Amino acid sequence: MPLFLRLTALTCGLFLLVILQASGYIRPPVPLPPPEIEMQTEWSPEELQKPPNIIILLSEAFWDITQIKSLHFSEDPAPMFHALQEKFTHGTLLSPMFGGGTANVELEVLTGHSMRFFPEDSTPYEQYIKQPTASLASLLSEQGYATTAISPFYHWFFNSSEVYKHLGFSRFISLEYFNPDEYVGPYIGDHAVVRRIIEETERSPGADFIFANTMENHYHYWPGKFKKNHIEVKGHLSNTAKGIAETYAQGMSGADRALQELILHFSRLKEPTIVVFFGDHLPSLEKLQVYKESNYIGGEDDPDFLEKMHNTPVVIWSNYLPKESKEELHMSPSFLGPYVLNLAKRPGSPYTDYLSDLYRKMPVLPPKAYYEAMNIDVNLVKQYEDRQKAILELEKQAAAASAPGAVHGDTTGAAGGVDAYSEDASNAVSAGGASDTVNGDAVAGSDASNATGRADAAGSDVSSAAAEAGTADNSDVNPAAGRAGMADNSPSGSTGTGDASDTAGNTAPDNSDVNPAAAEAGMADNSSSGSTGTGDASDTAGSAGAAGGDTKGKPFILGYGEPLIERVSPASLTVGGDTFGRSQLTIHGGRYGLGCTVFINGEAQQTTWQSESSLSVNLPKTLTTHAGTLDVQVRVVDSKNRVLAASRLVKIPVQEKKH
């Protein structure tokens, strides 16, 4: 070939390469198998006697899209998950939700209470969990576990900071404590959640119970959500549906890589550990479009809709349990907590023991319309409903009895059974008939069992976005946008100018603007003291140990507590700033995240996040026009401009220029 033609071909090739790179195209990599997990195989009897770490990771909208057999993927979106399925306990959870409603699935897993017995379309986190509530966290806390909740979304969403406190967690790490460089698409990446799980287990010397959920693969799934897609999907789909499927598969891949990182870490540790990984609900895939076009379902009236659209995957891995203990599961999420307690050989409670026994008789609780087809014993359902309602009502009354200003005295059995997990409280309703009234008070939600299981408020992905993602118009809005100091994913942004100094240092966020929904009878409280008598509740109402999740006297830390200022550079400023009239301060300390904003003289400043240990601000000229002193402080501010925590004040002098 003549030299001219060879040069021309080379030039064209290089030009094409530049074009492809500029377009963000990346050739799908050759599928690789997940790494072989090499676990510690020799455990001493002493090591096996230690309480195991229990880590429950709720993966947002995780579902195995490869179950749609008419679709073909350029690579396996979840090789780690599939490898774990082959070797460890796995199966499905019959989720009460579709397309949204994560908090309701959380409630089932953590408390053992079923959403079938709450009013349809309700969100108990926002409406009923208004006081200490028995949960896995409170139960394990009493056994010496460090209990941590992690969620990379706003602390106020679903009233989470208050709810997790009521459930007995000692720490809650929310979006405000993640970093602006940890976004993957419009949400915090799953890797960042796993990082904090690992950090928290390293922080505590003993056993950990961690409940974490993720956001990377949250609705929406329109093309362009992620900067680059590595997975190509083929099938008889429109271009729109194909793009949605590829976006979801990309997010699924991110969840799988995070799972791999988590398993690899604990496989190398000589700490007995159980990891539970599950999906909370199926993704909407934009109003069922992908499901319909791929012929996975015929529509919402598909006779197999419940089976196909409400069963989410679960896998349970451990680094110490014998592999022959592998099981195949099919259960409601409300039975998962008791199952894990038994697996970990941790003491349960009368309620969790009851649920364990019920699981063997009735592993799933479907919507009422499916009772006959699935051979559900209505008497077992009635007993479950009665017990749940009675426990919730007893806990509510116990909290009322222990509230400031409450008149303590004979509660005629109402607050005498303050231990929601006590034998008396559990057995009190075993015969049925106590479901309608408890001490004469009507119990809310007396018949919610006819819920269809599609309890998504809007019946589509709309509620997933508007009711769960917090973006009212379903548009691709960065959930961090508008947050004081870190808008639009950038490390700097407007922080607002409101003076929040009057609330500085208040580590208990004000949730007054979050739905205060009345604590309706039968749903709100959960205290526990072990007292089962009917006498004076005054000596038991405030002693709600682990079973009740009462946090009185127990610390609850939001994020990492108060931010620290170790030093500020420069240590002093000059009047008028530098040669160009500029003045900049760098604050060194930690632990700084999305919510950290620098305040000077009580006013929020535009803050640039540099790292977890440093923030910087460019000072307005008005602050250095005269000699004086600047009060510098770092506050953790949420998206509603409420101060969650504040550092100490550091004084920086502004001095006249030396001549």
Side-chain angles (χ1 to χ4, degrees):
M1 179 185 295
L3 178 61
F4 172 76
L5 292 178
R6 281 185 289 174
L7 290 174
T8 301
L10 178 62
T11 301
C12 291
L14 290 174
F15 179 75
L16 179 61
L17 179 62
V18 169
I19 292 296
L20 289 175
Q21 288 180 335
S23 67
Y25 174 83
I26 292 182
R27 181 185 299 278
V30 177
L32 296 175
E36 188 67 27
I37 304 297
E38 296 181 4
M39 296 185 297
Q40 300 282 356
T41 56
E42 296 181 1
W43 294 86
S44 69
E46 293 76 20
E47 289 170 333
L48 291 175
Q49 289 301 312
K50 293 180 179 179
N53 298 318
I54 299 175
I55 297 167
I56 301 180
L57 180 57
L58 183 160
S59 184
E60 170 62 33
F62 186 87
W63 178 70
D64 190 355
I65 194 174
T66 65
Q67 290 185 72
I68 303 180
K69 299 306 179 184
S70 63
L71 301 183
H72 304 281
F73 300 83
S74 61
E75 63 176 279
D76 185 350
M80 188 67 194
F81 177 78
H82 290 143
L84 293 175
Q85 280 183 313
E86 293 179 5
K87 297 181 179 180
F88 296 91
T89 293
H90 71 282
T92 57
L93 303 178
L94 184 63
S95 175
M97 311 307 295
F98 171 76
T102 297
N104 290 348
V105 184
E106 275 193 25
L107 175 86
E108 291 208 2
V109 173
L110 287 170
T111 67
H113 298 323
S114 175
M115 282 301 301
R116 307 295 184 201
F117 308 137
F118 287 100
E120 187 175 357
D121 295 338
S122 66
T123 303
Y125 271 15
E126 294 181 331
Q127 297 160 302
Y128 306 119
I129 309 301
K130 298 293 184 178
Q131 56 284 306
T133 301
S135 77
L136 286 177
S138 57
L139 186 64
L140 291 169
S141 176
E142 282 298 305
Q143 299 177 29
Y145 276 71
T147 55
T148 305
I150 303 172
S151 176
F153 209 59
Y154 302 113
H155 79 95
W156 48 260
F157 198 64
F158 286 138
N159 207 20
S160 295
S161 57
E162 290 301 304
V163 167
Y164 287 138
K165 181 179 180 180
H166 290 324
L167 292 178
F169 286 97
S170 57
R171 183 185 299 273
F172 172 36
I173 302 172
S174 58
L175 174 68
E176 292 83 3
Y177 298 90
F178 282 78
N179 302 338
D181 63 353
E182 291 179 315
Y183 280 92
V184 178
Y187 302 106
I188 295 292
D190 290 3
H191 160 78
V193 175
V194 166
R195 176 195 166 197
R196 280 158 181 79
I197 292 174
I198 293 172
E199 284 179 350
E200 292 308 302
T201 59
E202 292 175 340
R203 177 200 299 272
S204 67
D208 285 275
F209 171 64
I210 297 178
F211 186 89
N213 59 53
T214 65
M215 286 292 293
E216 182 175 338
N217 209 19
H218 191 284
Y219 173 90
H220 69 88
Y221 306 108
W222 299 114
K225 174 181 179 179
F226 302 113
K227 289 183 179 179
K228 294 168 183 168
N229 274 13
H230 300 268
I231 300 175
E232 184 179 357
V233 177
K234 292 183 178 179
H236 296 293
L237 299 175
S238 64
N239 288 335
T240 299
K242 177 176 178 292
I244 293 169
E246 289 181 344
T247 298
Y248 179 78
Q250 184 65 34
M252 183 180 176
S253 176
D256 191 71
R257 288 193 301 272
L259 174 62
Q260 176 176 309
E261 180 183 358
L262 187 67
I263 300 301
L264 280 174
H265 174 80
F266 287 102
S267 68
R268 297 165 182 155
L269 289 187
K270 210 67 178 293
E271 291 183 16
T273 301
I274 294 173
V275 174
V276 181
F277 176 89
F278 73 98
D280 53 341
H281 55 73
L282 269 70
S284 65
L285 296 185
E286 312 335 59
K287 299 183 180 179
L288 305 177
Q289 183 175 359
V290 174
Y291 301 111
K292 291 178 180 178
E293 287 193 22
S294 64
N295 293 319
Y296 182 70
I297 60 170
E300 293 187 57
D301 57 350
D302 191 301
D304 297 323
F305 192 94
L306 182 72
E307 177 69 21
K308 290 182 176 179
M309 306 302 286
H310 283 270
N311 277 313
T312 64
V314 59
V315 66
I316 301 177
W317 173 90
S318 80
N319 61 358
Y320 73 100
L321 294 173
K323 289 187 178 180
E324 52 266 26
S325 63
K326 173 185 175 182
E327 293 185 68
E328 185 142 355
L329 307 176
H330 182 48
M331 63 171 62
S332 287
S334 58
F335 298 130
L336 182 60
Y339 180 89
V340 173
L341 283 176
N342 291 334
L343 195 64
K345 292 183 169 56
R346 303 314 303 157
S349 65
Y351 189 46
T352 62
D353 292 345
Y354 161 77
L355 292 174
S356 294
D357 181 65
L358 182 60
Y359 164 63
R360 288 187 286 270
K361 301 172 184 175
M362 185 182 69
V364 295
L365 179 56
K368 195 171 185 178
Y370 291 85
Y371 283 6
E372 183 177 355
M374 298 177 69
N375 296 316
I376 299 299
D377 186 334
V378 293
N379 292 321
L380 292 178
V381 176
K382 180 62 173 170
Q383 291 171 15
Y384 187 4
E385 182 177 12
D386 289 346
R387 190 174 297 245
Q388 175 175 316
K389 288 179 178 178
I391 286 173
L392 289 166
E393 178 64 14
L394 287 168
E395 294 169 342
K396 176 185 177 181
Q397 293 181 16
S402 64
V407 178
H408 297 298
D410 185 1
T411 57
T412 327
V418 291
D419 186 350
Y421 278 172
S422 72
E423 284 287 0
D424 287 0
S426 296
N427 294 337
V429 295
S430 60
S435 62
D436 297 328
T437 60
V438 177
N439 297 320
D441 293 329
V443 177
S446 59
D447 186 13
S449 58
N450 60 349
T452 64
R454 305 171 196 177
D456 188 9
S460 69
D461 58 311
V462 173
S463 70
S464 173
E468 186 175 1
T471 54
D473 60 358
N474 293 345
S475 61
D476 183 9
V477 178
N478 173 4
R483 190 216 64 77
M486 301 295 174
D488 203 20
N489 280 352
S490 65
S492 63
S494 173
T495 63
T497 58
D499 185 0
S501 60
D502 58 333
T503 56
N506 178 12
T507 58
D510 175 14
N511 287 289
S512 58
D513 59 341
V514 179
N515 177 13
E520 299 179 23
M523 298 297 174
D525 177 67
N526 222 327
S527 167
S528 99
S529 69
S531 170
T532 57
T534 59
D536 186 354
S538 62
D539 57 346
T540 59
S543 59
D550 192 346
T551 57
K552 290 183 177 65
K554 296 181 181 180
F556 177 78
I557 301 173
L558 186 58
Y560 304 107
E562 295 180 0
L564 300 177
I565 297 181
E566 295 175 350
R567 63 185 177 89
V568 178
S569 60
S572 64
L573 299 169
T574 56
V575 172
D578 61 16
T579 306
F580 300 98
R582 298 172 302 189
S583 299
Q584 185 183 66
L585 289 177
T586 300
I587 292 83
H588 305 272
R591 179 173 181 171
Y592 303 146
L594 275 162
C596 284
T597 300
V598 175
F599 280 69
I600 297 180
N601 295 344
E603 294 290 334
Q605 305 299 315
Q606 182 169 310
T607 302
T608 299
W609 183 91
Q610 295 181 330
S611 71
E612 292 179 353
S613 59
S614 65
L615 304 169
S616 68
V617 290
N618 291 312
L619 275 61
K621 293 182 179 180
T622 55
L623 291 176
T624 58
T625 54
H626 306 288
T629 302
L630 302 180
D631 289 336
V632 179
Q633 187 179 47
V634 175
R635 300 177 187 174
V636 181
V637 184
D638 69 11
S639 62
K640 298 186 177 184
N641 283 330
R642 295 178 301 193
V643 176
L644 309 182
S647 72
R648 65 185 178 92
L649 286 172
V650 175
K651 295 185 178 296
I652 300 297
V654 179
Q655 303 170 338
E656 295 287 352
K657 293 182 180 179
K658 296 180 180 179
H659 298 287

